[in-house]
Amino acid sequence: MDNKKLAELLFPHVNKTPEDYEAMYPPRELPEGARVTRLGPSPTGFIHLGNLFGAITDERMAHQSGGVFYLRIEDTDEKRKVEGAVDVVIDTLRYFGVEFDEGAMKVGEKGDYGPYYQRQRADIYHCFAKKLVEEGKAYPCFCTEEELSAMREKQEAEKANFGYYGKWATHRHWDLPQIEEELKKGTPYVLRFRAPEPEGKYFKIKDAIRGELSMPVNDMDFVLLKSDGIPTYHFAHVVDDHLMRTTHVVRGEEWLATLPFHVALFGAMGWKAPVYCHTAQLMKIDNGVKRKLSKRKDPELSLDYYKSEGYLPGAVWEYLMTVLNSNFEEWRMQNPTAPIDDFKFSPAKMGVSGSLFDLDKLNDVSKNYLATLDAETVYSYITEWAKECDAEYYELLTRDPAFSLGMISIGRGDPKPRKDISHWKQSKEFYSFFFDELFRREDEFPENVSPEDRAEILRRYAEGYDHSDNQSQWFGKIRAIAEDMGYAPQPKLYKKNPEAYKGHVGDVSGVIRVAITGRQNSPDIWAVQQVLGEERSLNRIKNAL
Ligand code: GLU
């Protein structure tokens, strides 16, 4: 067959050669070992936790090696395209601290390897498709939907593998006159890859996350260009990642199945394949069962969730690192205050069989993280969040900033700081008792103190209250009330001899705690009163009486 003639027939409009493009997009001048990575989202307007996982992996690999991280928009599927989706990708990732060096930008694009929108690269794909046809490595296939489903039924009946390959690949053997006739009639066609005769059944390939993989050699004549001339993901990514000089392709494990085809395609092009890094699916434990995160069931899959709940991006990043790299937690323990950038990210330390995402763990990591921030910083973050997401909270926080700062300062800056806050929405629940508008009695009074004693304790406490008492004077008074009313002044005395007392000083202060904070567990009562002020503290006692 005259492949050159076929190529001219199929691609009469191609006016550049592969060499032209090779010259336009030369290898990048980067230091030895620098990695070039990319994020290739479809512009669907939904960006999720899985994308952030991939993006952080890409970003770390590029930036820790002195390389480049770029954004390529994979918009070949017109139906899934949503207006403004590129802004969503860029803004959302920026919120989490992930920045692109190159590629699609909010306005236009940046970099020498564009265009970075696949829809604008049609000429490039056609040029390389033409080259494949010229070399006999691709051919037009005129099969209709009906023919393909009839083939599938036959394959099912014969218990053969599904797909277009070997003896099933009808049009792979057509000659030029046959093809010309169909073209003249204007019959729609797709362009298929002519899979090379497999040498052996399996081949080996090294995945940077999964190590060496043994995979079946591809024998499928997959589609390269659809009938409208738009490339499939397979063909587009091979051409793009070569010409954009990508060194590492980080993508979800759902692409593992077609990896043999991608490797074959790189081979057919005569190009070196990038290093593939197939990330594991994000999973969660739901009622004891491990399952994939689902868009419908799990709000935490959406990245908007973290923004609207008021998670600090740095804390989320810190948590994601624990999921992404198995040695991160150990490193963090050894380097509690080091900036996270110092951690050497490694794809080899990533999980291969489902990465477990756990909101409780996120909250723990976040509490640790937020406990290290000073009160001013926390105050400005919370108010910024509340301004956007909770008008009532915003009003409460800002009407007396000194008061709010005092509240946030409690237990902060100590060698062992309190770890009460995991995210800003939860901070409202936690701090609610400071504001009379939100205050309510959430817990019962200690049950081993009788109602009569409770009233007596509160009455005496109010009587002896002096706002200028320091902490030890204050506690001395509570101890005196306890002793006077038949409660042990120290818990250990009570433990030694429980019959001799009604309870101990902790029960007495528990009554005061519930009166002041509405809770059995709270930060230090004295410190809380100092923030509430004398009048409000005494009012709480009176109201409890
Ligand atoms: N557009 C592909 C996706 O959204 C990108 C896969 C890749 O990164 O190669 O899944």
Side-chain angles (χ1 to χ4, degrees):
M1 155 121 85
D2 186 347
N3 289 319
K4 214 158 165 63
K5 183 152 179 225
L6 176 59
E8 269 320 314
L9 271 176
L10 296 178
F11 300 101
H13 55 282
V14 167
N15 55 15
K16 281 205 170 61
T17 65
E19 292 70 36
D20 292 337
Y21 287 117
E22 294 290 344
M24 271 169 78
Y25 306 112
R28 294 169 184 266
E29 282 171 29
L30 289 171
E32 175 89 25
R35 291 159 170 177
V36 179
T37 61
R38 85 296 192 280
L39 194 71
S42 302
T44 59
F46 182 63
I47 165 154
H48 55 77
L49 198 60
N51 300 125
L52 180 60
F53 258 62
I56 291 181
T57 307
D58 280 315
E59 190 276 348
R60 290 288 79 190
M61 286 174 67
H63 291 160
Q64 288 197 327
S65 65
V68 175
F69 174 40
Y70 70 89
L71 175 62
R72 178 170 76 223
I73 302 302
E74 308 211 326
D75 54 356
T76 55
D77 187 353
E78 187 80 341
K79 287 192 292 292
R80 297 177 65 202
K81 204 166 137 185
V82 167
E83 221 37 65
V86 176
D87 283 1
V88 171
V89 171
I90 293 174
D91 289 339
T92 310
L93 291 177
R94 174 168 295 156
Y95 177 77
F96 287 99
V98 178
E99 295 274 356
F100 297 98
D101 308 305
E102 181 182 307
M105 299 273 138
K106 290 189 72 162
V107 181
E109 40 179 66
K110 178 176 155 197
D112 298 331
Y113 291 83
Y116 295 91
Y117 287 76
Q118 289 186 327
R119 285 236 148 216
Q120 296 171 26
R121 300 175 63 78
D123 290 347
I124 304 178
Y125 304 127
H126 290 179
C127 172
F128 287 96
K130 181 177 180 186
K131 168 185 150 82
L132 286 176
V133 174
E134 275 172 8
E135 294 173 358
K137 296 172 179 168
Y139 63 91
C141 162
F142 299 92
C143 280
T144 61
E145 283 301 326
E146 293 72 37
E147 284 166 331
L148 291 176
S149 36
M151 177 185 88
R152 206 183 149 84
E153 273 168 33
K154 259 185 154 173
Q155 287 173 334
E156 192 159 17
E158 288 185 26
K159 295 196 165 47
N161 286 340
F162 291 131
Y164 207 84
Y165 63 98
K167 69 165 183 173
W168 304 97
T170 329
H171 294 117
R172 142 192 272 259
H173 307 293
W174 271 25
D175 56 21
L176 196 54
Q178 266 175 306
I179 296 173
E180 269 187 292
E181 200 182 313
E182 289 305 317
L183 291 177
K184 265 198 214 111
K185 281 194 270 176
T187 313
Y189 69 90
V190 299
L191 193 76
R192 284 190 185 271
F193 180 55
R194 190 189 302 276
E197 209 43 55
E199 295 167 23
K201 263 184 138 39
Y202 293 91
F203 72 104
K204 287 198 182 346
I205 179 165
K206 215 170 154 281
D207 181 291
I209 295 174
R210 289 156 196 271
E212 190 171 84
L213 301 173
S214 176
M215 304 221 74
V217 174
N218 173 65
D219 64 347
M220 294 282 164
D221 288 2
F222 280 110
V223 175
L224 301 173
L225 296 179
K226 294 179 258 187
S227 56
D228 55 3
I230 301 289
T232 55
Y233 161 78
H234 314 291
F235 186 50
H237 105 273
V238 166
V239 170
D240 293 347
D241 283 322
H242 171 70
L243 291 181
M244 296 180 180
R245 309 292 169 178
T246 309
T247 65
H248 290 68
V249 168
V250 177
R251 62 183 185 185
E253 66 183 354
E254 66 274 19
W255 297 109
L256 261 178
T258 41
L259 177 62
F261 169 39
H262 303 153
V263 172
L265 201 43
F266 270 103
M269 290 290 193
W271 296 334
K272 183 169 176 274
V275 178
Y276 282 97
C277 315
H278 288 95
T279 58
Q281 272 281 353
L282 278 182
M283 314 283 270
K284 77 183 271 182
I285 304 275
D286 186 8
N287 280 325
V289 182
K290 200 169 168 183
R291 65 160 174 82
K292 277 189 213 168
L293 281 173
S294 116
K295 193 170 169 180
R296 197 167 45 80
K297 288 191 230 158
D298 308 311
E300 69 267 33
L301 184 62
S302 155
L303 291 177
D304 289 340
Y305 174 81
Y306 303 91
K307 215 171 175 177
S308 63
E309 291 284 304
Y311 281 95
L312 197 61
V316 177
W317 182 292
E318 180 91 13
Y319 170 61
L320 291 186
M321 271 303 154
T322 70
V323 183
L324 280 169
N325 260 199
S326 55
N327 56 331
F328 176 75
E329 273 177 282
E330 200 189 323
W331 176 85
R332 180 46 93 202
M333 247 150 21
Q334 284 155 7
N335 305 277
T337 55
I340 200 158
D341 278 354
D342 291 359
F343 173 70
K344 187 88 192 82
F345 184 89
S346 160
K349 291 285 197 296
M350 293 178 79
V352 296
S353 62
S355 298
L356 212 50
F357 184 82
D358 176 0
L359 269 183
D360 292 334
K361 183 86 193 285
L362 165 64
N363 286 332
D364 280 348
V365 170
S366 189
K367 279 180 181 174
N368 281 324
Y369 186 89
L370 299 184
T372 63
L373 304 180
D374 63 49
E376 283 79 11
T377 307
V378 172
Y379 178 69
S380 79
Y381 278 130
I382 306 189
T383 47
E384 199 182 312
W385 173 81
K387 191 171 186 177
E388 219 175 286
C389 301
D390 188 336
E392 178 196 44
Y393 193 27
Y394 180 73
E395 149 62 27
L396 292 172
L397 286 164
T398 52
R399 71 179 170 201
D400 183 353
F403 175 85
S404 302
L405 263 175
M407 162 186 98
I408 296 169
S409 299
I410 293 178
R412 219 166 263 284
D414 300 348
K416 277 204 163 167
R418 291 188 62 90
K419 296 173 180 173
D420 298 313
I421 308 300
S422 57
H423 55 289
W424 310 139
K425 191 170 188 177
Q426 174 263 347
S427 80
K428 184 184 185 189
E429 288 158 33
F430 183 78
Y431 289 133
S432 60
F433 67 89
F434 279 95
F435 303 101
D436 289 339
E437 292 86 340
L438 304 178
F439 174 80
R440 55 192 177 86
R441 180 129 2 99
E442 293 171 20
D443 294 335
E444 296 301 326
F445 284 100
E447 55 187 20
N448 52 339
V449 177
S450 69
E452 297 73 35
D453 274 10
R454 184 202 309 161
E456 179 71 12
I457 290 168
L458 293 174
R459 205 183 44 73
R460 289 192 189 205
Y461 181 72
E463 232 171 58
Y465 190 86
D466 183 343
H467 198 64
S468 62
D469 281 345
N470 64 26
Q471 191 161 16
S472 80
Q473 290 166 327
W474 164 81
F475 195 64
K477 286 182 179 171
I478 294 183
R479 196 175 275 146
I481 297 173
E483 212 163 359
D484 208 41
M485 291 180 60
Y487 292 79
Q490 283 164 14
K492 68 172 185 231
L493 291 179
Y494 173 75
K495 263 183 214 132
K496 244 191 254 164
N497 198 1
E499 287 78 38
Y501 303 100
K502 295 195 222 168
H504 62 76
V505 65
D507 300 314
V508 175
S509 63
V511 169
I512 297 161
R513 185 184 299 278
V514 173
I516 298 281
T517 69
R519 300 178 191 173
Q520 296 223 11
N521 281 309
S522 78
D524 181 73
I525 309 167
W526 178 82
V528 170
Q529 290 176 159
Q530 292 304 304
V531 172
L532 287 175
E534 178 165 9
E535 195 187 327
R536 225 186 264 155
S537 301
L538 282 172
N539 273 341
R540 295 250 169 120
I541 300 292
K542 273 185 212 131
N543 291 340
L545 266 165

